[in-house]
């Protein structure tokens, strides 16, 4: 029988000392047979040691979920490799196959709490029963909400993880000491600690403490989609009554740290501008160096903490918002990219949104998108996450359905990016229109009304640097960093090409149009907010400084550049301000120009000449559509199908100007 050759999991010396010795168990060669759970039930386990063999023995107990709250600890962890490595003996003599991750949990976590019951999804949910699995996934938020404590198993760890946790606890102790003295907590004095140093442009090193903390934040646990739900919902119903000190405990074999302690330290490091000491270097999937990357855990902890705080205040969390934040997390099952957010979103999920592991990922994404687009009375932000202009891996998805399976790294015109730096919301279709979307699941078609404005005639794709994405946003050379002249020369040519396009405006536009330079910098900035303090400098002046800096970076050697910076530091300060805005808004998105009205805009990387700029009735921003030319005779017909390319920014179309550029017509999106 498959798995019978795998060894039984034995208790080590520490486990033997801590765990209870159970009754003798007669070992069989049969797999354990689960009894399907009923509604509102949860299966928990306890572990003992078989006296004759020393095997760990798993004993299950089925409880009512609500009445059993606070009586078990839930384990959060990464499954890792799904290949079984051991068998765990059950109290009836049968056995279950377990992976290496579950093996470590049973060996190192359970013996620390020998009298407790635990919930571990790999064992407490019958993974082979898709009906039970779907029901338990639906109840996952309650399972973590009613638990006594969530223990996050981060792996066995090493000296680096021990050093990182000691460093975090030292920093948190400093913060507590200041608070006890009535002082405003700050870690700014720690600038004197050995910080990050640069040895060469392609290699950056950090002191051991910073490096250890950065490495801790790269633990794969922080990238797992289910962790988002498990942390956000942790002890939500038991936090007031539980006697456990830490509701979420990050645990290695030899050390632990409270999640709130780590989150508090990271928040203070960011407030004091010390978080840059956590960046690291890596190679991306294309083999290119990426320097100065923030570890995944840094942003993940901010996301977890934000949603925990929202829920604690009673602020509703919409599914649209939850999905947009969850997009970049990883899942071994693509369907979990949407199922994992259900518990902490406050909208009532109808039957069509319930977990169903008998459906394909394509079907799940399509059904969810239809339901949310038709439900959202405000604005269907999911359309900004969809489109063939973005990276996609599921080829059978309709273009109007987001491909959650591959979290796109592209900057999106999403909900937080639909207002200008002046606080003015984009209103591309005006203030009085409400979006009306119809979806036909049988034909997989979406229908809305819109105005066809113009067609893309030329695309200006930004040049790429041989250096990292982060480095080419740094405009101030130093003795550790030499700019890439070839890149900056290509970038200047890119700017010149756009300016040449703008030098021939459309005669159909009014004479009050801004000058080409103004259109250029306003398009680059895109009116995006940065999430930081309001920008006080004059952006037009900052753009001219940025343009001047680009020319110097393209032509001067390092010593001449350093001399220029020392003589005119204000120029490079303003240039960097504008570059930071560009990085946050345009990033590496291509800029495009239209054929008739000579409009300038930017959109997702997959846009092409011939794509149509459309004002969608009720939408805050324009969208790009691509005609389906399977039959050339369909071109121009009312029934012509289109594919959604993605949302876009178009200068001169963001505040209702496009409403007078055409008539409303029906668009069918496939």
């Amino acid at each position: 029988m498959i798995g019978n050759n795998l060894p039984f999991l034995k208790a080590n010396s520490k486990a033997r000392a801590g765990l209870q010795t159970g009754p003798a168990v007669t070992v069989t060669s049969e797999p354990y047979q689960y009894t399907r759970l009923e509604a509102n039930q949860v299966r928990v386990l306890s572990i003992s040691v078989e006296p004759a063999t020393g095997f760990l023995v798993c004993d299950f107990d089925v409880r009512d979920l609500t009445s059993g709250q606070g009586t078990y600890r839930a384990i959060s962890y990464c499954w890792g490799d799904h290949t079984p490595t051991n068998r765990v003996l059950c109290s009836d003599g049968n056995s279950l196959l377990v992976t290496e991750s579950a093996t470590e949990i049973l060996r190192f976590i359970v013996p620390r709490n020998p009298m407790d019951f635990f919930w571990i999804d790999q064992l407490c949910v019958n993974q082979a029963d898709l009906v039970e699995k779907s029901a338990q996934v639906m109840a996952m938020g309650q399972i973590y909400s009613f638990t006594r404590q969530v223990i996050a198993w981060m792996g066995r760890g090493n000296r680096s993880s021990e050093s990182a946790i000691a460093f975090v606890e030292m920093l948190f102790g400093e913060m507590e000491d200041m608070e006890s003295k009535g002082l405003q907590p700050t870690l700014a004095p720690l600038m004197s600690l050995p910080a990050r140093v640069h040895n060469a442009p392609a290699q950056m090193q950090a002191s051991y403490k910073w490096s250890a903390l950065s490495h801790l934040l790269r633990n794969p646990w922080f990238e797992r989609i289910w962790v988002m739900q498990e942390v956000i919902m942790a002890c939500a119903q038991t936090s007031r009554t539980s006697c456990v000190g830490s509701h979420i405990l990050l645990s290695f074999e030899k050390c632990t740290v409270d999640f709130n302690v780590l989150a508090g330290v990271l928040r203070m490091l960011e407030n004091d501008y010390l978080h840059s000491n956590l960046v690291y270097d890596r190679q991306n999937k294309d083999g290119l160096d990426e320097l100065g990357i923030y570890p995944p855990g840094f942003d993940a902890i901010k996301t977890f903490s934000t949603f925990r705080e929202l829920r604690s205040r009673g602020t509703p969390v919409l599914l649209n918002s939850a999905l947009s934040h969850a997009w970049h997390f990883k899942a071994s099952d693509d369907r979990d990219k949407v199922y994992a957010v259900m518990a902490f979103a406050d909208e009532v999920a109808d039957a069509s949104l319930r977990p169903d592991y008998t459906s394909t990922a394509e079907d799940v994404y399509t059904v969810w998108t239809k339901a949310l687009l038709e439900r959202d009375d405000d604005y269907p932000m999911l359309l900004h996450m969809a489109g063939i202009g973005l990276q996609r891996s599921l080829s059978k998805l309709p273009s109007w359905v987001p491909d959650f399976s591959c979290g796109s790294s592209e900057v999106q015109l999403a909900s937080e990016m639909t207002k200008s730096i002046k606080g003015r919301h984009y209103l591309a279709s005006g203030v009085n229109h409400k979006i009306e979307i119809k979806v036909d699941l049988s034909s997989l078609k979406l229908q809305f009304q819109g105005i066809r404005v113009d067609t893309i005639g030329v695309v200006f794709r930004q040049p790429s640097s041989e250096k990292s994405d982060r480095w080419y946003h740094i405009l101030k050379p130093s003795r550790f960093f030499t700019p890439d002249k070839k890149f900056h020369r290509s970038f200047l040519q890119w700017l010149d090409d756009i300016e040449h396009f703008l030098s021939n405006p459309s005669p159909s536009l009014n004479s009050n149009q801004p000058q080409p330079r103004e259109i250029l910098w306003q398009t680059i900035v895109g009116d995006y907010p940065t999430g930081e303090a309001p920008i006080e400098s004059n952006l037009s002046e900052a753009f001219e400084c940025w343009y001047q800096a680009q020319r110097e970076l393209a032509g001067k050697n390092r010593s001449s550049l350093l001399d220029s910076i020392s003589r005119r530091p204000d120029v490079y300060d303003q240039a960097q301000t504008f570059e930071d805005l560009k990085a946050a808004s345009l990033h590496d998105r291509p800029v495009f120009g239209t054929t008739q009205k000579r409009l300038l805009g930017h959109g997702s990387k997959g846009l092409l000449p011939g794509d149509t700029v459309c004002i969608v009735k009720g939408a805050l921003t324009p969208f790009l559509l691509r005609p389906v030319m399977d039959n050339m005779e369909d071109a121009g017909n009312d029934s012509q199908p289109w594919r959604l390319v993605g949302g876009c920014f178009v200068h001169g179309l963001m505040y209702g100007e496009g409403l007078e550029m055409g008539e409303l017509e029906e668009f069918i999106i496939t």
Side-chain angles (χ1 to χ4, degrees):
M1 186 173 292
I2 297 175
N4 280 352
N5 59 333
L6 293 176
F8 278 101
L9 193 55
K10 272 191 152 184
N12 56 27
S13 57
K14 286 187 178 180
R16 279 182 175 273
L19 292 172
Q20 289 183 319
T21 300
V25 176
T26 302
V27 179
T28 74
S29 59
E30 297 299 318
Y32 179 78
Q33 298 297 314
Y34 290 95
T35 300
R36 179 178 289 178
L37 295 172
E38 297 180 4
N40 207 42
Q41 284 187 332
V42 63
R43 187 184 292 116
V44 295
L45 63 84
S46 61
I47 295 291
S48 60
V49 179
E50 206 280 331
T53 60
F55 295 157
L56 292 179
V57 179
C58 175
D59 190 18
F60 290 110
D61 185 36
V62 175
R63 300 179 178 181
D64 180 82
L65 186 55
T66 52
S67 63
Q69 60 179 286
T71 62
Y72 60 92
R73 300 175 195 261
I75 307 297
S76 173
Y77 67 106
C78 290
W79 270 56
D81 189 348
H82 284 227
T83 304
T85 58
N86 288 276
R87 285 187 290 168
V88 62
L89 185 62
C90 297
S91 56
D92 63 357
N94 298 333
S95 60
L96 286 169
L97 302 180
V98 292
T99 65
E100 183 61 30
S101 56
T103 296
E104 291 180 347
I105 291 168
L106 294 175
R107 277 181 172 156
F108 301 111
I109 294 293
V110 173
R112 294 178 187 170
N113 309 277
M115 304 302 293
D116 282 338
F117 285 87
F118 293 86
W119 187 88
I120 309 171
D121 66 345
Q122 192 175 143
L123 294 169
C124 295
V125 177
N126 183 359
Q127 301 293 327
D129 184 344
L130 296 182
V131 174
E132 177 177 300
K133 182 178 178 181
S134 297
Q136 287 288 285
V137 166
M138 189 70 184
M140 205 76 77
Q142 288 181 296
I143 291 172
Y144 278 88
S145 178
F146 290 144
T147 187
R148 184 185 180 200
Q149 183 184 47
V150 172
I151 301 177
W153 175 245
M154 313 291 286
R156 297 191 63 176
N158 50 33
R159 290 181 60 186
S160 174
S161 50
E162 294 171 26
S163 176
I165 288 179
F167 186 39
V168 168
E169 290 177 339
M170 183 272 287
L171 296 176
F172 191 76
E174 292 286 334
M175 293 163 56
E176 285 190 314
D177 185 55
M178 292 179 190
E179 284 188 329
S180 68
K181 296 176 181 178
L183 302 174
Q184 180 68 31
T186 177
L187 295 176
L190 297 177
M191 285 293 291
S192 59
L193 283 176
R196 192 170 182 82
V197 294
H198 307 263
N199 285 346
Q203 181 180 6
M204 296 186 291
Q205 298 178 345
S207 73
Y208 185 67
K209 291 181 183 295
W210 293 112
S211 179
L213 179 53
S214 176
H215 194 271
L216 170 66
L217 295 172
R218 281 175 263 161
N219 189 292
W221 181 80
F222 292 108
E223 299 182 82
R224 178 175 169 263
I225 185 67
W226 283 108
V227 167
M228 187 178 187
Q229 174 183 264
E230 292 159 4
V231 172
I232 292 169
M233 297 302 297
C235 305
Q237 299 296 326
T238 57
S239 57
R240 296 181 181 180
T241 58
S242 173
C243 61
V244 176
S246 172
H247 295 137
I248 309 168
L249 192 67
L250 310 189
S251 183
F252 293 94
E253 179 182 356
K254 295 182 179 179
C255 54
T256 62
V257 65
D258 187 325
F259 173 85
N260 290 331
V261 169
L262 178 58
V265 166
L266 294 181
R267 183 165 53 248
M268 189 61 65
L269 288 176
E270 184 173 23
N271 291 343
D272 292 336
Y273 302 101
L274 290 168
H275 59 300
S276 59
N277 291 310
L278 300 174
V279 299
Y280 72 107
D281 314 329
R282 70 182 182 189
Q283 278 195 331
N284 63 22
K285 62 182 180 181
D286 298 319
L288 299 176
D289 289 335
E290 294 183 329
L291 310 180
I293 306 299
Y294 282 103
F298 180 76
D299 287 326
I301 288 175
K302 287 200 297 183
T303 299
F304 301 160
S305 300
T306 297
F307 279 111
R308 279 182 68 83
E309 183 178 350
L310 287 173
R311 289 189 58 82
S312 68
R313 295 202 309 255
T315 304
V317 176
L318 301 181
L319 274 171
N320 276 357
S321 175
L323 287 168
S324 65
H325 283 85
W327 203 4
H328 304 294
F329 289 88
K330 296 179 180 178
S332 56
D333 188 321
D334 289 338
R335 294 166 291 192
D336 290 339
K337 296 293 287 287
V338 294
Y339 291 159
V341 306
M342 294 185 67
F344 62 90
D346 291 283
E347 297 168 279
V348 177
D350 56 44
S352 66
L353 302 187
R354 295 180 181 274
D356 179 8
Y357 284 94
T358 64
S359 297
T360 65
E362 289 91 340
D363 289 342
V364 171
Y365 293 173
T366 302
V367 169
W368 271 60
T369 302
K370 174 186 183 297
L372 294 179
L373 287 176
E374 293 179 337
R375 170 191 296 183
D376 192 345
D377 292 332
D378 182 23
Y379 180 63
M381 289 300 171
L382 285 182
L383 284 183
H384 280 301
M385 302 169 67
I388 58 176
L390 297 175
Q391 179 185 355
R392 293 165 78 85
S393 62
L394 299 178
S395 59
K396 296 181 180 179
L397 273 183
S399 66
W400 50 271
V401 177
D403 188 349
F404 298 103
S405 68
C406 54
S408 175
S409 60
E410 287 193 51
V411 174
Q412 301 299 310
L413 284 167
S415 55
E416 67 273 14
M417 296 181 179
T418 53
K419 62 181 180 181
S420 71
I421 55 178
K422 299 177 182 178
R424 189 168 56 154
H425 280 274
Y426 293 152
L427 293 168
S429 66
V431 296
N432 297 320
H433 291 135
K434 180 178 179 181
I435 196 161
E436 297 177 3
I437 289 178
K438 299 177 183 177
V439 178
D440 182 2
L441 280 184
S442 62
S443 63
L444 299 179
K445 292 179 180 179
L446 175 145
Q447 186 174 347
F448 54 65
Q449 289 186 316
I451 297 173
R452 202 180 314 198
V453 175
D454 207 346
T455 302
I456 292 179
V458 60
V459 176
F460 307 99
R461 300 196 183 276
Q462 296 187 58
S464 59
S465 172
E466 294 178 358
K467 299 181 183 295
S468 74
D469 171 75
R470 184 179 177 83
W471 269 130
Y472 74 71
H473 292 306
I474 297 176
L475 300 185
K476 287 187 176 182
S478 68
R479 61 192 181 93
F480 307 114
F481 169 58
T482 302
D484 184 346
K485 283 188 178 182
K486 181 179 178 182
F487 164 74
H488 288 287
R489 287 169 184 162
S490 299
F491 195 79
L492 280 174
Q493 184 61 55
W494 179 77
L495 290 171
D496 290 343
D497 290 343
I498 297 175
E499 282 201 282
H500 178 72
F501 168 81
L502 291 172
S503 65
N504 297 292
S506 170
S508 65
L509 297 178
N510 62 61
S511 58
N512 295 325
Q513 278 289 104
Q515 294 299 308
R517 274 288 178 96
E518 188 175 355
I519 294 174
L520 175 56
W521 73 255
Q522 288 178 355
T523 300
I524 290 175
V525 172
D527 280 354
Y528 288 145
T530 61
E532 306 294 340
I535 300 166
E536 298 176 356
S537 62
N538 184 300
L539 281 181
S540 178
E541 181 181 342
F543 169 76
E544 295 300 333
C545 291
W546 176 78
Y547 201 100
Q548 178 181 337
Q550 293 289 347
R551 291 196 176 280
E552 292 188 353
L553 289 164
K556 292 185 176 182
N557 58 36
R558 184 170 60 183
S559 59
S560 298
L561 283 170
L562 292 173
D563 180 60
S564 293
I565 294 171
S566 65
R567 287 187 289 104
R568 297 170 300 162
D570 58 314
V571 171
Y572 272 80
D573 286 342
Q574 290 201 64
Q576 190 63 58
T577 295
F578 192 86
E579 179 64 28
D580 291 344
L581 277 174
K582 172 188 174 293
S585 56
L586 179 64
H587 194 50
D588 57 356
R589 290 158 62 96
V591 172
F592 63 81
T594 67
T595 56
Q596 301 297 318
K597 298 180 174 60
R598 312 290 287 181
L599 300 171
L600 194 69
H602 56 77
S604 51
K605 290 182 180 179
L607 63 83
L608 295 172
D611 290 345
T612 295
V613 178
C614 177
I615 301 296
V616 177
K617 181 182 176 182
L620 301 182
T621 70
F623 281 87
L624 293 176
L625 306 179
R626 184 172 300 165
V628 178
M629 294 297 191
D630 295 337
N631 186 343
M632 294 299 293
E633 295 180 358
D634 289 340
N637 292 346
D638 293 339
S639 60
Q640 175 188 341
W642 299 77
R643 290 193 178 95
L644 179 71
V645 177
C648 62
F649 174 93
V650 183
H651 187 275
L653 288 185
M654 304 308 291
Y655 302 104
E657 303 93 330
L659 295 177
E660 299 179 357
M661 296 183 181
E663 299 294 329
L664 276 176
E665 56 183 295
E666 297 289 337
F667 287 89
I668 298 173
I669 313 298
T670 62

